[in-house]
Amino acid sequence: MASESAENMDTLQPLVQLKDHNIALLFSNYLQSIGIQAQLKSSREDGHVIYCPEDKIVQAKVEFDAFILKPYDKKYQQAAWDRGETVSLHASDFSLMRSFQENFLAHAGIVTLLVFTLCWLVFLFSELGWAQQLFYALQFYPQLSIDALLADPIRLLGPAFFHFSWLHIIFNTMWWWQLGGSIEKILGKSTLINLLLLSAIVSNVGQYLVSGSNFGGLSGVVYALVGFIWWFGYLAPERGLFLAKPLIGFLLFWLVLGFVDLLPVNVANTAHLLGLLSGCFLAVFTVKVIGVNNKT
């Protein structure tokens, strides 16, 4: 039985990590009640991790988002009863803020959190009246030259940290947290830093050459994360870094919509495309040239 359990675990992917056993057990039972295979693995180091099949990850994440909003809903307790288990939740076991905080911090490393925080600080100070000053400080070079690069190198990266609207920053930073956090946890902070630097520089320079210096946002880096995880998962699936195919399809479709000008907002299409390509390139380079054994 032990070898069979280990074999089954190898075919599953981690979905969510929780500190409270009752909460993890309740949600695991519910997933199984709706036809999603789920296994709960507990350890002193990792807490309680729920695993499920790769092709069910997207559906399971949607179910978890609903679960943390209403963990006391009768359907979750009913699922436990149907499986012959009694799981009791108390007010001290669960709160929305506590659950969000635990899962948010558990998924992200220091690099992920620093970039996430920097983007939000810049945006919030912009909303408080310093938008013009911050944009000027982070804006790409009005005239790109060697002298400009040496005088103010931060402008190579700066536009990535400035966002123009609530939708813009929420979309970019949540994808950064989700994808960047996965990369940092599995491959280490140096890989994520390299990816951030390469994709920000490549996408910013490319967008400047096409449209000038009036642009901003982390979306070029986000598309680099997509490209990196997509190709890394294809080339080294044993490392457990992957992105569900429906999500890849959605983001590629969004990229195409931007190029055919069917989106209701202005989109830095060149930055998106170059970010995606730089991420794919770095994934191939990481696997084929430098290997993927070291986590630093």
Side-chain angles (χ1 to χ4, degrees):
M1 289 295 290
S3 60
E4 181 181 357
S5 177
E7 182 179 351
N8 289 338
M9 188 64 71
D10 290 340
T11 66
L12 303 178
Q13 299 292 340
L15 169 67
V16 66
Q17 181 184 47
L18 297 165
K19 288 187 177 180
D20 188 275
H21 179 263
N22 282 350
I23 294 171
L25 182 59
L26 193 67
F27 184 63
S28 176
N29 282 326
Y30 175 70
L31 287 180
Q32 295 181 72
S33 75
I34 60 173
I36 299 178
Q37 181 187 358
Q39 289 191 21
L40 176 59
K41 182 179 179 181
S42 301
S43 69
R44 183 172 300 178
E45 296 80 14
D46 299 330
H48 310 284
V49 182
I50 298 175
Y51 293 78
C52 67
E54 178 180 349
D55 61 350
K56 298 291 185 179
I57 285 285
V58 175
Q59 181 186 353
K61 284 185 176 180
V62 171
E63 293 292 345
F64 182 74
D65 290 342
F67 171 72
I68 62 172
L69 292 175
K70 298 178 65 178
Y72 300 105
D73 194 296
K74 292 181 179 179
K75 66 181 180 181
Y76 302 120
Q77 187 63 66
Q78 184 63 50
W81 289 337
D82 290 343
R83 295 183 59 81
E85 297 187 31
T86 301
V87 182
S88 299
L89 290 186
H90 304 285
S92 59
D93 289 336
F94 199 105
S95 69
L96 176 59
M97 184 57 66
R98 178 186 170 203
S99 174
F100 173 81
Q101 181 181 8
E102 289 178 354
N103 286 283
F104 183 85
L105 295 177
H107 180 74
I110 185 64
V111 176
T112 307
L113 292 175
L114 284 175
V115 172
F116 185 98
T117 303
L118 177 59
C119 288
W120 274 100
L121 285 176
V122 170
F123 180 76
L124 292 176
F125 277 107
S126 297
E127 290 292 294
L128 292 173
W130 288 283
Q132 186 173 355
Q133 296 92 321
L134 286 168
F135 180 73
Y136 175 75
L138 297 173
Q139 183 184 22
F140 200 80
Y141 309 97
Q143 293 293 329
L144 183 59
S145 66
I146 297 298
D147 290 339
L149 285 171
L150 295 176
D152 201 0
I154 192 62
R155 290 182 184 270
L156 269 177
L157 305 174
F161 305 108
F162 189 93
H163 293 82
F164 296 98
S165 68
W166 286 95
L167 180 62
H168 193 203
I169 191 169
I170 289 172
F171 182 89
N172 280 345
T173 54
M174 291 313 296
W175 276 114
W176 164 263
W177 169 79
Q178 176 66 41
L179 303 179
S182 296
I183 292 171
E184 186 172 4
K185 285 292 184 180
I186 294 176
L187 298 179
K189 58 182 178 294
S190 61
T191 299
L192 184 59
I193 291 172
N194 291 337
L195 186 54
L196 170 66
L197 295 177
L198 174 66
S199 60
I201 292 171
V202 169
S203 60
N204 285 344
V205 171
Q207 191 63 45
Y208 165 78
L209 294 175
V210 171
S211 64
S213 60
N214 292 324
F215 63 90
L218 200 63
S219 51
V221 176
V222 167
Y223 267 96
L225 302 181
V226 172
F228 183 89
I229 294 178
W230 177 17
W231 277 85
F232 191 95
Y234 173 75
L235 295 171
E238 70 280 359
R239 295 304 300 271
L241 186 63
F242 72 96
L243 189 61
K245 291 180 180 178
L247 284 178
I248 296 174
F250 166 76
L251 291 167
L252 293 179
F253 181 64
W254 188 265
L255 179 65
V256 172
L257 288 181
F259 272 102
V260 298
D261 200 23
L262 291 178
L263 296 176
V265 294
N266 292 326
V267 178
N269 296 311
T270 302
H272 293 179
L273 178 60
L274 292 178
L276 178 71
L277 294 176
S278 63
C280 294
F281 167 80
L282 189 57
V284 174
F285 182 81
T286 300
V287 175
K288 298 296 186 180
V289 179
I290 65 176
V292 294
N293 292 325
N294 295 326
K295 178 180 178 180
T296 59

